[in-house]
Amino acid sequence: MNWTPDGYVAVVTAYNYQKQRSVPGWTMSWRWTKKEVIWSMVGAQTTEQGDCSKFKFNIPHSCMRKPIVVDLLPGTPYNQQIANCCKNGILKPGLESSFQLAVGNAGTSSKTARMPVNFTFTAPKQQYICGPTKNVRPTRFITADKRRMTRAMMTWNITCVFHKAT
């Protein structure tokens, strides 16, 4: 969405294109390619903070090289929410779930920021297979008053397909 002094702010959105299958209690994970950290999150959280001991004052939300992200619960305070979040990981057919994160120790331009790799998307008793991360045309957004169009600085796309129920 925008660059920060040591990285970027991103919105992650998972779409359920399945026509009849809900995704109950999703988790999402990826591997950073540098030494990125998650400074903060809105609409989701990581399951573990990891070792952030090298930070003295401003402690990141997560220092995990492979963070695991879960949705927040309904009733989460408004200042911790973003649109389409906080459904306890329940992703109904045709709907979406989103969260926002501020990433640090990352590149600060489209030339230096690196795409995360090895995405996984899981849910209890469901297996998904995720393809590689692809750099695609930046997402465009229309403002609420429909009078202005903005666009993301970069957009990455990962497709995960239902493999089987376990």
Side-chain angles (χ1 to χ4, degrees):
M1 298 302 295
N2 60 286
W3 302 110
T4 63
D6 75 333
Y8 55 89
V9 173
V11 173
V12 177
T13 302
Y15 297 94
N16 183 357
Y17 291 112
Q18 300 175 106
K19 297 198 182 328
Q20 298 172 347
R21 185 185 310 274
S22 283
V23 180
W26 62 260
T27 65
M28 186 184 299
S29 183
W30 58 84
R31 186 176 57 79
W32 297 118
T33 57
K34 295 182 178 180
K35 296 185 184 300
E36 292 93 337
V37 297
I38 299 173
W39 285 116
S40 62
M41 293 186 81
V42 179
Q45 65 185 0
T46 59
T47 59
E48 199 175 331
Q49 183 181 36
D51 181 5
C52 295
S53 60
K54 71 178 184 176
F55 295 90
K56 300 281 185 243
F57 301 106
N58 194 10
I59 309 299
H61 175 81
S62 174
C63 297
M64 298 292 291
R65 183 159 169 85
K66 190 167 173 66
I68 298 170
V69 176
V70 295
D71 195 13
L72 296 177
L73 300 173
T76 294
Y78 289 119
N79 66 348
Q80 296 173 31
Q81 291 188 31
I82 186 173
N84 299 310
C85 81
C86 312
K87 301 170 190 162
N88 197 24
I90 297 170
L91 187 50
K92 293 184 178 177
L95 297 181
E96 60 190 55
S97 184
S98 298
F99 61 91
Q100 178 178 294
L101 66 164
V103 180
N105 288 349
T108 56
S109 74
S110 57
K111 292 190 183 339
T112 58
R114 297 286 174 250
M115 294 184 289
V117 297
N118 299 343
F119 269 79
T120 63
F121 187 81
T122 59
K125 299 185 179 180
Q126 294 183 10
Q127 290 183 3
Y128 294 82
I129 296 175
C130 298
T133 312
K134 294 180 188 167
N135 200 351
V136 297
R137 218 172 338 160
T139 304
R140 295 169 54 124
F141 304 95
I142 190 153
T143 57
D145 65 6
K146 298 185 178 8
R147 296 177 58 174
R148 177 174 158 81
M149 185 73 69
T150 61
R151 66 176 229 170
M153 303 292 125
M154 295 178 76
T155 297
W156 302 319
N157 191 336
I158 302 93
T159 300
C160 301
V161 295
F162 178 74
H163 180 59
K164 65 181 178 179
T166 56

